[in-house]
């Protein structure tokens, strides 16, 4: 009988201790200030922290032209337009770019702006060993209050020429341009011999690429035009 009485007393003391602890927790809840550290220690369902996606610098392009002039010129000196611009690719899975450009006129001395957009699609036709591409671009000029839209197709046919590190090919580019200010539609065809080589290795911090183009353009209402272009591109390996 005495042993049973002791067990009942022990049980009552345990219940009283649990009640006191619960009361102490309630007093702590209402008396202490709720902070983020207190929530992490007392709340089981913690807030999920989503990592922020890193910035993709490869989806942004910035360029400038004719910012600094040189006194050493092979032909008669002319005052060129100075321009700075930027483009960005808002959607990662689509080849669509939007941008803007600021142009300071050399002779007119006016500052104008252009809003531009472009989209492109490229596919390899492995059976015939060629690459097909389609691109469209347009811009709106704030000064002329007009717009322009162009559509250009490309067909690249590789040429098997033994030129060491150079890769060569034949490029055919039909084009159509719409001038919204004049309401004119023009077409043309440009054929080019394209050469390309890499000046740096893939492990370098910067990527250098040299392009050479020799072309001949045809248009219905214009004379044929021969062109030559040498281009050096330097970009960081991101």
């Amino acid at each position: 009988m005495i042993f049973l009485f002791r067990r009942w007393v022990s049980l009552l003391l345990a219940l009283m201790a649990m009640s006191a602890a619960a009361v102490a927790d309630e007093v702590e809840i209402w008396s202490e200030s709720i902070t983020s550290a207190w929530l992490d220690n007392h709340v089981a369902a913690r807030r999920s922290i989503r990592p922020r996606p890193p910035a993709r610098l490869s989806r942004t392009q910035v360029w400038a032209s004719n910012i600094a002039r040189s006194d050493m010129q092979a032909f008669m000196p002319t005052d060129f337009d100075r321009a700075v611009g930027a483009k960005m690719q808002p959607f990662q899975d689509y080849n669509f770019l939007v941008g803007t450009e600021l142009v300071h006129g050399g002779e007119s001395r006016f500052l104008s702006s252009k809003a531009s957009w472009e989209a492109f699609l490229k596919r390899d036709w492995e059976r015939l060993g060629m690459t097909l591409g389609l691109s469209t671009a347009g811009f709106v000029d704030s000064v002329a209050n007009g717009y322009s839209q162009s559509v250009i197709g490309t067909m690249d046919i590789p040429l098997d020429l033994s030129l060491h590190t150079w890769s060569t090919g034949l490029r055919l580019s039909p084009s159509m341009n719409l001038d919204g200010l004049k309401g004119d539609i023009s077409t043309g065809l440009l054929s080019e011999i394209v050469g390309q080589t890499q000046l740096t290795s893939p492990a370098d911090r910067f990527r250098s690429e040299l392009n050479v183009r020799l072309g001949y353009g045809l248009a219905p209402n214009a004379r044929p035009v021969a062109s030559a272009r040498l281009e050096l591109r330097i970009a960081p390996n991101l």
Side-chain angles (χ1 to χ4, degrees):
M1 187 68 182
I2 296 174
F3 179 74
L4 184 60
F5 179 74
R6 288 180 178 177
R7 293 189 60 181
W8 278 105
V9 172
S10 300
L11 182 60
L12 289 175
L13 291 176
L15 291 175
M16 291 176 63
M18 293 175 60
S19 300
V23 171
D25 291 339
E26 292 181 359
V27 172
E28 182 183 358
I29 291 175
W30 294 108
S31 61
E32 290 190 359
S33 59
I34 298 178
T35 61
S36 59
W38 189 91
L39 290 174
D40 292 338
N41 295 329
H42 294 80
V43 180
R46 297 183 179 181
R47 294 168 294 178
S48 61
I49 301 175
R50 297 181 179 180
R52 295 181 179 179
R56 295 294 300 273
L57 296 180
S58 59
R59 293 164 54 186
T60 305
Q61 303 176 16
V62 180
W63 73 91
S65 62
N66 300 323
I67 299 299
R69 293 189 56 186
S70 175
D71 296 333
M72 300 178 61
Q73 297 183 4
F75 303 99
M76 183 179 296
T78 56
D79 202 356
F80 295 97
D81 293 341
R82 296 172 175 84
V84 292
K87 292 180 183 179
M88 67 172 299
Q89 183 180 353
F91 308 107
Q92 182 176 358
D93 298 331
Y94 298 95
N95 295 324
F96 175 72
L97 292 89
V98 292
T100 184
E101 183 179 11
L102 295 177
V103 181
H104 185 267
E107 298 179 356
S108 60
R109 301 297 179 182
F110 287 114
L111 181 63
S112 62
S113 63
K114 293 181 180 180
S116 61
W117 59 89
E118 62 179 277
F120 58 92
L121 178 66
K122 192 174 183 179
R123 290 290 183 269
D124 292 331
W125 200 347
E126 297 180 355
R127 291 189 302 173
L128 298 180
M130 64 177 59
T131 302
L132 302 178
L134 179 65
S135 62
T136 177
F139 67 87
V140 176
D141 195 339
S142 62
V143 175
N145 293 326
Y147 67 92
S148 176
Q149 183 71 40
S150 63
V151 179
I152 302 175
T154 58
M155 182 172 61
D156 293 332
I157 304 173
L159 300 178
D160 191 8
L161 300 179
S162 57
L163 295 177
H164 302 288
T165 60
W166 286 84
S167 60
T168 58
L170 173 63
R171 174 172 296 176
L172 300 176
S173 304
S175 62
M176 181 179 66
N177 184 68
L178 170 63
D179 190 348
L181 185 62
K182 299 179 180 180
D184 295 337
I185 298 178
S186 59
T187 58
L189 175 63
L190 178 63
S191 59
E192 293 178 302
I193 300 295
V194 180
Q196 182 181 23
T197 183
Q198 298 288 339
L199 303 180
T200 56
S201 62
D204 293 338
R205 296 180 57 185
F206 290 90
R207 182 178 68 254
S208 299
E209 178 181 295
L210 183 63
N211 297 323
V212 178
R213 296 183 182 180
L214 301 175
Y216 196 75
L218 299 174
N221 299 324
R223 294 181 178 180
V225 178
S227 62
R229 183 176 180 180
L230 178 63
E231 182 183 52
L232 175 63
R233 293 186 178 183
I234 301 176
N237 277 325
L238 300 178

